[in-house]
């Protein structure tokens, strides 16, 4: 049995607390909100599980309730590349769902994660009937474009400390990942997977930014004290 089928078998309706954590749900009109609540399901993904696979047809629009995911390619003609991380509160795959096409990327759980799914048919019904939902999706697409431009810029940065700072800033994006707040639950090894550096090099970079007063390393995670410093890291060299 595939991982995707196992996730579907474990799926259940969302609790009231989980529904309250979805950033777009409360904005919907009454009928649209009721339909979305009936259709939404959530499942537990284990570390290493794939939520989306390259070449698979889209069936759900996904959101992360809790945990940590990574988005990467799976190109046998070249090296595997991590595009971005997905932090709590983030919804992803709206472009693929809009076009009803096959996935061009993998989404994989880095730790045990609760992943919510909205069936693609309900996604399109909401697009057809809810102005509030349309506004949210348009904003998502705009923010996602900015995120990928930033990720492309990070790929060209040679300074590991700057790479770590900018990657952290992306994960603390309040629009894309509203569930993070001021503390991101992430280990140094998980951050190393996302940034493409060794855990030891990430550790040195975190020490630098902690000394600069931009972050504080806490048990099981990172607290951002100065997001502007992380976002602006290395820009004085451009």
């Amino acid at each position: 049995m595939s991982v995707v089928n196992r996730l579907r078998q474990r799926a259940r309706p969302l609790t009231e607390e989980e529904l309250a954590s979805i950033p777009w749900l409360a904005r919907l009109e009454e009928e649209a909100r009721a339909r979305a609540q009936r259709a939404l399901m959530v499942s537990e993904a284990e570390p290493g599980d794939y939520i989306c696979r390259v070449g698979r047809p889209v069936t759900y629009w996904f959101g992360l309730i809790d945990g940590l995911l990574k988005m990467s390619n799976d190109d046998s003609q070249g090296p595997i590349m991590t595009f971005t991380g997905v932090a709590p509160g983030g919804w992803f795959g709206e472009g693929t769902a809009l076009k009803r096409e096959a996935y061009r990327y993998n989404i994989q759980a880095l730790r045990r994660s609760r992943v919510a799914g909205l069936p693609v048919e309900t996604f399109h019904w909401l697009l057809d009937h809810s102005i509030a939902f349309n506004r949210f999706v348009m904003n998502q697409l705009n923010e996602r474009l900015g995120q990928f431009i930033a990720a492309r810029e990070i790929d060209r940065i040679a300074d590991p400390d700057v790479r770590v700072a900018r990657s952290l800033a992306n994960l603390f994006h309040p629009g894309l990942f509203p569930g993070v707040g001021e503390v991101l639950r992430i280990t140094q090894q998980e951050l190393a997977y996302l940034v493409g550096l060794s855990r030891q090099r990430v550790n040195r970079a975190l020490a630098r930014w902690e000394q600069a007063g931009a972050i504080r390393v806490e048990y099981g995670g990172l607290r951002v004290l100065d997001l502007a410093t992380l976002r602006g890291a290395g820009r004085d060299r451009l």
Side-chain angles (χ1 to χ4, degrees):
M1 184 184 297
S2 70
V3 170
V4 172
N5 287 335
R6 290 201 302 270
L7 289 174
R8 288 177 179 169
Q9 281 199 343
R10 295 198 296 261
R12 58 168 175 79
L14 280 69
T15 65
E16 289 297 324
E17 182 179 2
E18 289 167 340
L19 289 170
S21 73
I22 296 177
W24 49 268
L25 193 58
R27 309 178 190 183
L28 302 187
E29 303 83 356
E30 184 176 351
E31 181 186 1
R33 184 168 61 252
R35 182 179 287 253
Q37 287 177 338
R38 289 195 299 270
L40 281 162
M41 300 296 287
V42 68
S43 187
E44 298 277 349
E46 298 296 327
D49 282 353
Y50 285 93
I51 290 86
C52 308
R53 292 299 301 264
V54 170
R56 298 283 179 84
V58 61
T59 53
Y60 286 86
W61 181 47
F62 292 107
L64 183 61
I65 303 295
D66 183 57
L68 185 67
L69 311 175
K70 73 170 182 176
M71 178 185 290
S72 65
N73 70 347
D74 188 17
D75 185 0
S76 60
Q77 304 302 313
I80 293 177
M81 178 185 298
T82 296
F83 299 128
T84 187
V86 180
W91 284 75
F92 54 91
E94 54 277 346
T96 305
L98 275 167
K99 293 178 283 186
R100 296 179 184 267
E101 65 179 13
Y103 289 106
R104 300 181 183 181
Y105 49 82
N106 295 324
I107 298 287
Q108 187 177 22
L110 290 180
R111 59 169 58 187
R112 178 174 287 184
S113 302
R114 275 182 295 154
V115 182
L118 183 75
V120 70
E121 296 303 329
T122 307
F123 176 88
H124 278 271
W125 186 93
L126 291 173
L127 286 176
D128 291 338
H129 295 85
S130 172
I131 293 175
F133 189 73
N134 273 271
R135 286 174 176 165
F136 180 84
V137 171
M138 284 192 295
N139 185 65
Q140 280 280 109
L141 291 169
N142 182 55
E143 296 289 359
R144 188 83 63 207
L145 176 60
Q147 182 189 40
F148 280 109
I149 290 173
R152 181 64 174 169
E153 186 180 29
I154 290 169
D155 278 340
R156 296 172 179 267
I157 294 172
D159 187 328
D161 292 352
V162 176
R163 287 175 63 91
V164 169
R166 298 281 197 87
S167 297
L168 276 176
N170 275 349
L171 291 172
F172 279 91
H173 192 299
L176 290 174
F177 309 124
V180 173
E182 295 180 349
V183 179
L184 175 66
R185 298 302 172 189
I186 189 170
T187 67
Q188 292 179 12
Q189 186 60 65
E190 290 166 344
L191 183 56
Y193 287 143
L194 295 178
V195 181
L197 297 170
S198 70
R199 184 186 62 79
Q200 293 80 3
R201 189 60 190 85
V202 166
N203 181 50
R204 293 203 298 273
L206 293 176
R208 169 186 168 179
W209 295 116
E210 187 168 31
Q211 186 175 16
I215 64 170
R216 184 167 67 237
V217 178
E218 300 183 353
Y219 180 75
L222 299 169
R223 180 180 296 274
V224 166
L225 305 175
D226 187 350
L227 185 57
T229 292
L230 297 179
R231 287 175 173 167
R235 296 195 185 279
D236 56 338
R237 307 173 195 174
L238 299 179

